[in-house]
Amino acid sequence: MSSWNEGGITKDSKASVDAIKCHAFIMDTGFCSRANSLAAYCDVNRQILQSKYTLDEDFIHSTAKVKAKTQVGQDSMVGEESVIGEKVSVKRSVIGQHCNIGDKVKIANSIIMDHVTIKEGCVIHGSVICGNASLSEQVELKDCLVGSKQTLPEKAKFSNEIVIDNDYMMEI
């Protein structure tokens, strides 16, 4: 990572507070992308899943536990130490590290961040669930953003909503 600024402004000079900086990262191999909005973040996740065939990597971590009769699509990723229950369907989605997915859950076109608990019978489509969130039984989400540390009550249904505490800023 290198930093460039015009006019010889240094870190110690007073003018550097107002300076515009340009950063560059040069890669020899691999995947690099900029995600400065929620839509861009979702798009980058899709790009990674689409390019996994060229990366020659296994996208279900060796420490993840996927129970019987569960379908994890080849277009999905499961992070380390995650546990996925029976009769679960995961399509075109990313599941983070240390997640616990209950039985009979359907997840499609979604991003589940680290340390998320999703209990039995939930249906999640086109949504982003931030870290440490918890979904009770039979929650339905369609095109939603669930904030960090949120707990959704049993049988709750949300569509096109942002679910956060009003007291906290959203952090993705």
Side-chain angles (χ1 to χ4, degrees):
M1 183 77 79
S2 65
S3 181
W4 174 85
N5 55 40
E6 193 172 338
I9 299 170
T10 65
K11 291 181 186 177
D12 299 327
S13 71
K14 186 176 181 189
S16 69
V17 174
D18 297 327
I20 296 174
K21 295 181 181 180
C22 177
H23 296 275
F25 180 74
I26 301 171
M27 290 181 44
D28 292 327
T29 62
F31 182 86
C32 184
S33 188
R34 181 176 183 209
N36 60 347
S37 69
L38 183 58
Y41 181 76
C42 292
D43 190 49
V44 167
N45 275 271
R46 284 188 200 97
Q47 289 174 24
I48 291 169
L49 291 173
Q50 289 172 353
S51 67
K52 80 177 189 178
Y53 300 108
T54 61
L55 297 175
D56 291 330
E57 293 184 24
D58 186 11
F59 274 61
I60 296 179
H61 197 275
S62 60
T63 60
K65 295 174 181 77
V66 180
K67 294 188 179 174
K69 299 180 183 177
T70 289
Q71 296 177 342
V72 178
Q74 291 181 339
D75 51 3
S76 296
M77 180 187 300
V78 180
E80 79 179 66
E81 298 291 328
S82 289
V83 177
I84 300 179
E86 290 187 359
K87 298 181 181 179
V88 173
S89 173
V90 181
K91 298 178 182 177
R92 298 173 306 281
S93 298
V94 177
I95 297 176
Q97 300 176 13
H98 305 280
C99 291
N100 193 340
I101 312 295
D103 298 339
K104 300 176 185 172
V105 171
K106 293 181 182 179
I107 302 171
N109 298 320
S110 297
I111 300 168
I112 313 298
M113 295 188 183
D114 298 344
H115 302 280
V116 171
T117 299
I118 300 173
K119 296 203 176 165
E120 185 175 336
C122 293
V123 178
I124 301 159
H125 187 272
S127 298
V128 176
I129 302 175
C130 294
N132 298 300
S134 179
L135 279 63
S136 300
E137 289 85 0
Q138 300 177 355
V139 170
E140 292 183 25
L141 298 176
K142 185 175 186 322
D143 301 322
C144 292
L145 174 60
V146 178
S148 182
K149 299 179 184 173
Q150 295 300 302
T151 300
L152 302 184
E154 188 174 327
K155 297 183 180 180
K157 294 184 181 187
F158 296 94
S159 182
N160 297 310
E161 294 187 48
I162 299 174
V163 182
I164 59 170
D165 273 336
N166 291 333
D167 298 339
Y168 298 100
M169 297 276 296
M170 174 66 84
E171 191 173 312
I172 299 178

